[in-house]
Amino acid sequence: MPSYFATAIAHPNIAFIKYWGDVDPDLHIPANGSISMNLRELFSRTSVSFDPSLEQDQFILDGRQINDTGLVRVSNLLDRVRKMAGINTFASVESHNNFPTGTGIASSASGFAALSVAASKAAGLDFDEKALSRLARTGSGSACRSIPSGFVEWQAGGNDEGSYAFSIVPPEHWDLVDCIALVSQDEKPTSSSEGHSLAKTSLLQPARVADAPRRLALCRKAIHTRDFAALAQVVELDSNLMHAVMITSKPPLLYWQPATVTIMQAVQYWREGGLMVCYSVDAGPNVHVLCSRVVSGDVADRLEKLSGVQKVLVAHPGGPADLENE
Ligand code: PMV
């Protein structure tokens, strides 16, 4: 084993076309493809050390020792790495997010992407981007999109070999900005893993999935041609469709809070007034407000003044997951 220790950094991503529901929940093979943008200013930094003196895996997240399902999910990914590397040494994993964890800002995406890069390197595996994306996907589906750079597509694939993400265009292609309006920094009550398993209980999920190829094509085209109006239309439709599935699941999942709706309505109103903005909401109450760089200062100021907005995080298109100092 050439190296035992490695540290990696990965960015979370915001999905323009969302992943919701699996055809294989264990391997996180999604019901539909998805498209996202990495968020440069936000990151997870994860160190992995395979240590022969350990009697079990250890996981420290933001200074706190994790023993519950969080540790199980990390150990499951480490098991895959150990199997591929032919080792049986336990590891100590230490991870830090520079943004609130578990609030719908995809900390599991950046966390599992960074873990995949660091763990495979520390185990002596020389993985290419596709192999890293497939590995990250097994930790958290959307993590496979935090491996490649910039604007990224995850092809559903239908099986383990074919389900991975790749870059559509690099971060420099389009100076979009994501102004993330935080309305709550509490951990969400229902994790996205539980949510994916409920998707099939909504009678709207088949319609959402059937129309996904059309939305993916519209989104790809809007990105390639930097057409904000077209992007806004498909991004809001896709977010609304996912939340329609969520609130019609059994039991229903309603992630929104009153301030979430206040922001969504304000964004629509501002766009009608000529401002290039649109919203997207993941599995949490916070709202991602996309806009072009020229108006991002104005958009962040407007969001900060809305009732219920605690803070606005501003992020630009980000690069790939990478080893630190490489
Ligand atoms: O990767 P997960 O299991 O955390 O699921 C992510 C689900 C959404 O964030 C709601 C949508 C997406 O595509 O990122």
Side-chain angles (χ1 to χ4, degrees):
M1 210 164 124
S3 93
Y4 296 99
F5 177 83
T7 298
I9 287 186
H11 304 285
N13 62 75
I14 173 63
F16 295 168
I17 302 297
K18 303 207 184 275
Y19 149 54
W20 198 246
D22 293 302
V23 293
D24 181 334
D26 295 328
L27 288 171
H28 302 150
I29 310 297
N32 61 276
S34 51
I35 291 178
S36 60
M37 177 182 103
N38 287 345
L39 304 175
R40 187 176 78 201
E41 284 77 2
L42 312 184
F43 62 84
S44 297
R45 182 176 183 274
T46 303
S47 299
V48 176
S49 171
F50 286 99
D51 179 348
S53 72
L54 290 174
E55 286 171 13
Q56 61 172 69
D57 292 324
Q58 285 179 358
F59 177 34
I60 294 169
L61 176 59
D62 290 329
R64 244 177 3 114
Q65 176 116 22
I66 307 291
N67 292 312
D68 53 15
T69 48
L71 174 63
V72 174
R73 288 176 74 185
V74 165
S75 278
N76 284 345
L77 191 135
L78 291 171
D79 283 345
R80 288 178 197 280
V81 170
R82 280 187 280 256
K83 197 170 167 200
M84 287 184 275
I87 58 172
N88 52 17
T89 319
F90 290 114
S92 144
V93 174
E94 195 162 345
S95 191
H96 171 71
N97 297 326
N98 75 338
F99 60 96
T101 303
T103 54
I105 313 182
S107 54
S108 63
S110 49
F112 278 106
L115 176 65
S116 300
V117 174
S120 52
K121 174 72 177 179
L125 295 164
D126 186 19
F127 275 2
D128 62 10
E129 184 181 277
K130 177 179 163 185
L132 286 170
S133 180
R134 287 176 54 212
L135 175 63
R137 191 202 71 229
T138 64
S140 173
S142 57
C144 75
R145 296 190 312 242
S146 283
I147 295 287
S149 184
F151 298 81
V152 171
E153 176 160 357
W154 172 13
Q155 62 179 31
N159 56 37
D160 184 35
E161 173 66 28
S163 190
Y164 61 93
F166 50 87
S167 182
I168 307 174
V169 286
E172 312 74 55
H173 171 76
W174 197 3
D175 54 358
L176 280 185
V177 179
D178 183 7
C179 297
I180 310 163
L182 298 182
V183 305
S184 164
Q185 299 187 48
D186 297 338
E187 291 257 345
K188 56 195 174 198
T190 309
S191 70
S192 39
S193 329
E194 289 167 71
H196 289 299
S197 66
L198 293 179
K200 58 181 176 304
T201 66
S202 166
L203 55 86
L204 301 183
Q205 173 74 345
R208 191 191 75 86
V209 170
D211 182 60
R214 186 188 69 91
R215 297 194 304 283
L216 286 162
L218 287 171
C219 186
R220 251 180 246 124
K221 186 168 175 214
I223 290 172
H224 279 300
T225 58
R226 301 187 193 90
D227 181 343
F228 191 88
L231 184 81
Q233 217 173 34
V234 73
V235 163
E236 285 190 4
L237 170 66
D238 192 84
S239 175
N240 293 342
L241 282 169
M242 181 182 74
H243 287 274
V245 167
M246 289 168 165
I247 60 181
T248 52
S249 296
K250 290 187 205 93
L253 280 179
L254 180 57
Y255 285 109
W256 299 348
Q257 290 184 7
T260 314
V261 180
T262 302
I263 301 163
M264 289 159 66
Q265 284 182 323
V267 166
Q268 281 182 339
Y269 180 71
W270 297 337
R271 193 166 64 249
E272 278 158 26
L275 197 65
M276 305 269 260
V277 275
C278 68
Y279 66 75
S280 184
V281 184
D282 277 341
N286 301 317
V287 185
H288 294 256
V289 179
L290 302 168
C291 60
S292 65
R293 190 191 279 261
V294 274
V295 296
S296 60
D298 182 19
V299 170
D301 286 348
R302 290 182 190 217
L303 287 169
E304 263 158 16
K305 291 193 187 100
L306 290 179
S307 150
V309 173
Q310 296 173 353
K311 198 177 174 182
V312 178
L313 306 176
V314 175
H316 300 84
D322 214 347
L323 289 163
E324 199 167 60
N325 304 323
E326 285 206 12

